[in-house]
Amino acid sequence: MIEFDKVTKRYKGGHEAVTDLTFSMAKGEMAFLTGHSGAGKSTLLKLLANIDRPTSGQVRVAGQLLNRMSSHQIPFYRRQLGIVFQNHHLLMDKTVFDNVALPLVIEGERPRDIARRVHAALDKVGLLDKEHERPMVLSGGEQQRVGIARAVVTKPRLLLADEPTGNLDPLLSREIMNLFADFNRVGTTVLIASHDLGLIARMPFRVMTLKGGQMIRTDRTVPYDR
Amino acid sequence: MTAKNKKGAEVRQVRFSERRDAWLRHHQTLAVDSLVEMLRRPISSMLTWMVIAIALSLPALMYLFLLNVQHVVGPIESGAQLTLYLDGAKVGQSGQKLAEDLQQRPEIAATEFVSAAQGLQQFREYSGLDDVIDSLGENPLPDVIVVKPVDTTAGSVESLKIMLEGLPEVSDVQLDLIWVQRINHISALAETLVGFLSVLFSMAVLLVVGNTIRLAIESRRAEILVVKLVGGTNAFVRRPFLYMGFWFGLAGGLVAWGLIALCFYLLSEPAAELLASVGSSGELVQLGFGGVFLLLVTAILISLLGTVIAVGRHIRAIEPS
């Protein structure tokens, strides 16, 4: 599903965020991406979402080479992804329903189908009773779950999450991670950037550790050199 | 071809018609949403409408003023006439006869003989210079024939003038067209000026709408970022703003129409008096159905153009990073 081949990303000013990075993820796999802040986690996710382009090397997702994608193709590529952001990126003046419906509206689904699929997604994250609320009145955990519902409502093949439990208490974090595991169980490829090592350790998935823009370990143990 | 291929084609067709339906539905929703959005901020929206309306109604009013001037001057021009000053020594008493002879010509509509004595009498009445006229002793005025041509276009009046100058009894022919020509020149000048000002005011509308849309885009920057992150195309992001531009244009055009109607209402009485005093029986030239239509279409087009420019420049610049 994901293939990085000798990928280097150098930002203007010369800072090299990832260096000569090579790794891959199989279809249907779930993995964690960890490392100190500044290790290149965000850059890796940005490369996958085609927000940034590699300076050298190749990034492939589901067989598509992201490097050469035209700006016209990028929106259509992004529709194949579900992305969960650390700061939710919700529209505060729209209802929960409208927030979750947005990707479907963009795809031009019929209102009947939109309602059905939004309800299914909200049901999955346990927020069906909040569909008419605005995100403002929801708790941090609830907002994050709205963000997850929006990411999965299109049934994406690849689900990316950037610190999805960043500001949540351990119990809520655990719930959110289990939610991702549920999506993985039905075939979605899931990649989660997180530094919640305690939590990651208790889950049976591959852990990839970045340091200084390089993959230093990729295994199932918790690799944290304090 | 195989049955499999055929089925593939059908699936594609269904998807296309579904996409088109979705597209139409999206446009419908946006058209209503952007109107509601505009009406939800009545004060700031109204300011924009007023600026558009004022910028459009000024050149429109100037143009209407021009039309009305031409409307009033027009009938006078069509009454263009030639004044023949007769040579008293050659004509003698036969001035009246000459006037009747000229009347027979096909290119002349009417003639009027004004004898020297009548002319002096008229001058006495108009000028009130009785003492001066009395002191002259002898009547200095010649006999005069006023000729009204059938065809009042400049060329044929000119050739008629040349023909009349050739008559032995006529010492001089004066064409009473000069001031009409002057008004025509002035109105041509004014037309150019109105045209130029219309372009300037249109540019003002363009800039005002462009700026309003730019601010709207700025205020929804976060939303645009999210839409782009979940796969919205530039066209998808552009659409609500284009509708906004359309509504601003339409609303501005309607307010401009209202301003022009108000102006006509205020002017109707003094204008009627003025028209009566110059002997014109006509009414003021109004905007009319075609004029209103043109005003609204112009307002919408200029507003849309301003929006397209603003949207093209600013939406592409908002990209997730």
Side-chain angles (χ1 to χ4, degrees):
Chain A
M1 181 57 92
I2 298 177
E3 284 171 75
F4 270 59
D5 186 16
K6 293 179 183 156
V7 174
T8 297
K9 174 65 189 176
R10 195 178 301 114
Y11 285 105
K12 275 175 201 161
H15 172 65
E16 214 165 87
V18 295
T19 306
D20 204 23
L21 191 63
T22 301
F23 79 97
S24 65
M25 269 183 81
K27 193 160 179 272
E29 194 185 348
M30 175 155 168
F32 290 104
L33 187 63
T34 187
H36 294 289
S37 56
K41 298 194 297 286
S42 298
T43 302
L44 198 152
L45 291 177
K46 280 181 189 171
L47 289 169
L48 281 172
N50 220 335
I51 293 169
D52 281 335
R53 289 186 181 221
T55 312
S56 67
Q58 296 189 335
V59 180
R60 276 178 202 277
V61 174
Q64 305 157 88
L65 185 61
L66 302 196
N67 306 44
R68 298 235 185 85
M69 210 169 264
S70 72
S71 56
H72 177 74
Q73 291 171 303
I74 288 175
F76 299 96
Y77 165 70
R78 285 191 188 140
R79 291 180 195 181
Q80 304 168 24
L81 311 178
I83 310 177
V84 178
F85 306 93
Q86 182 177 10
N87 50 4
H88 322 317
H89 274 316
L90 298 178
L91 305 177
M92 291 299 169
D93 59 340
K94 299 260 162 63
T95 62
V96 166
F97 181 95
D98 287 341
N99 268 284
V100 177
L102 183 64
L104 299 175
V105 172
I106 287 171
E107 279 186 12
E109 294 292 334
R110 283 180 294 190
R112 198 155 26 104
D113 296 338
I114 290 177
R116 186 172 51 77
R117 293 171 68 173
V118 169
H119 287 148
L122 283 175
D123 190 31
K124 186 83 191 119
V125 300
L127 286 176
L128 200 48
D129 56 329
K130 307 269 172 144
E131 62 168 318
H132 301 300
E133 306 278 2
R134 282 167 207 279
M136 209 87 81
V137 303
L138 302 182
S139 69
E142 286 170 331
Q143 290 188 9
Q144 189 58 280
R145 282 189 280 160
V146 175
I148 293 171
R150 186 182 62 193
V152 300
V153 76
T154 54
K155 297 209 173 75
R157 290 190 282 180
L158 175 60
L159 191 55
L160 302 175
D162 189 8
E163 303 286 359
T165 61
N167 309 310
L168 304 180
D169 64 53
L171 196 67
L172 276 173
S173 301
R174 179 80 209 204
E175 274 178 29
I176 298 280
M177 287 303 184
N178 286 338
L179 208 49
F180 282 115
D182 287 347
F183 292 118
N184 176 245
R185 210 163 294 135
V186 295
T188 310
T189 311
V190 182
L191 178 61
I192 300 171
S194 174
H195 54 234
D196 195 345
L197 295 170
L199 184 57
I200 292 170
R202 271 176 274 135
M203 300 193 76
F205 301 110
R206 174 152 73 122
V207 177
M208 296 183 282
T209 307
L210 282 171
K211 186 179 183 185
Q214 285 176 311
M215 194 74 81
I216 55 169
R217 292 175 89 160
T218 165
D219 57 26
R220 299 178 85 179
T221 60
V222 180
Y224 206 65
D225 36 53
R226 278 170 200 277
Chain B
M1 278 285 154
T2 63
K4 199 178 168 190
N5 279 352
K6 213 173 159 187
K7 198 179 171 198
E10 272 168 24
V11 169
R12 265 186 76 87
Q13 242 169 16
V14 169
R15 286 199 55 193
F16 173 75
S17 77
E18 259 182 27
R19 292 201 79 79
R20 188 197 52 208
D21 289 351
W23 188 80
L24 286 176
R25 202 168 40 240
H26 179 56
H27 273 263
Q28 251 170 18
T29 317
L30 279 179
V32 176
D33 284 358
S34 55
L35 179 62
V36 170
E37 178 78 10
M38 183 173 79
L39 297 175
R40 220 170 46 184
R41 295 170 228 265
I43 305 285
S44 70
S45 294
M46 220 133 64
L47 284 175
T48 309
W49 302 348
M50 281 309 287
V51 175
I52 297 171
I54 291 167
L56 286 174
S57 58
L58 280 175
L61 279 171
M62 284 190 288
Y63 179 66
L64 283 168
F65 176 75
L66 207 62
L67 275 187
N68 276 297
V69 168
Q70 288 166 346
H71 181 62
V72 171
V73 172
I76 300 171
E77 183 183 15
S78 71
Q81 56 187 29
L82 297 133
T83 307
L84 311 186
Y85 298 98
L86 303 182
D87 188 338
K90 290 179 186 166
V91 185
Q93 298 302 308
S94 63
Q96 182 71 43
K97 175 78 173 51
L98 178 62
E100 283 161 16
D101 287 349
L102 286 174
Q103 181 118 36
Q104 304 303 315
R105 303 185 73 98
E107 65 267 43
I108 291 171
T111 60
E112 187 193 351
F113 177 70
V114 182
S115 71
Q118 285 168 329
L120 190 65
Q121 185 58 36
Q122 282 174 4
F123 183 61
R124 196 185 284 277
E125 284 167 14
Y126 279 122
S127 66
L129 298 170
D130 289 346
D131 294 345
V132 179
I133 291 164
D134 288 340
S135 72
L136 286 172
E138 195 182 312
N139 184 353
L141 297 176
D143 291 334
V144 164
I145 299 176
V146 177
V147 173
K148 292 196 169 155
V150 174
D151 185 351
T152 55
T153 56
S156 64
V157 172
E158 200 62 38
S159 60
L160 180 63
K161 181 184 175 208
I162 291 166
M163 191 276 289
L164 292 170
E165 278 171 340
L167 295 174
E169 299 93 335
V170 175
S171 65
D172 195 11
V173 178
Q174 193 178 344
L175 188 56
D176 299 340
L177 259 180
I178 292 156
W179 72 275
V180 172
Q181 282 170 342
R182 277 184 194 151
I183 287 184
N184 281 342
H185 286 315
I186 291 171
S187 89
L189 197 74
E191 246 173 76
T192 312
L193 183 67
V194 170
F196 180 70
L197 288 176
S198 299
V199 172
L200 282 189
F201 281 118
S202 300
M203 278 172 68
V205 172
L206 211 73
L207 295 175
V208 166
V209 173
N211 195 49
T212 306
I213 297 292
R214 183 182 65 80
L215 291 175
I217 291 172
E218 247 355 276
S219 76
R220 290 169 71 177
R221 169 179 277 272
E223 184 180 341
I224 291 170
L225 278 178
V226 173
V227 169
K228 287 197 170 185
L229 277 173
V230 298
T233 56
N234 279 328
F236 183 90
V237 178
R238 263 197 298 269
R239 239 167 263 155
F241 297 105
L242 291 177
Y243 273 101
M244 198 185 258
F246 170 85
W247 290 121
F248 272 126
L250 181 63
L254 286 172
V255 177
W257 180 19
L259 289 178
I260 291 168
L262 177 70
C263 184
F264 268 89
Y265 171 74
L266 294 175
L267 285 179
S268 59
E269 209 169 306
E273 280 167 21
L274 178 67
L275 285 173
S277 78
V278 297
S280 172
S281 59
E283 288 180 0
L284 279 181
V285 181
Q286 300 263 7
L287 203 52
F289 179 75
V292 173
F293 182 73
L294 192 68
L295 178 70
L296 294 182
V297 169
T298 309
I300 290 169
L301 286 182
I302 296 173
S303 178
L304 269 182
L305 184 63
T307 308
V308 167
I309 294 170
V311 153
R313 281 191 48 192
H314 298 292
I315 285 186
R316 216 166 304 152
I318 300 179
E319 278 293 335
S321 64

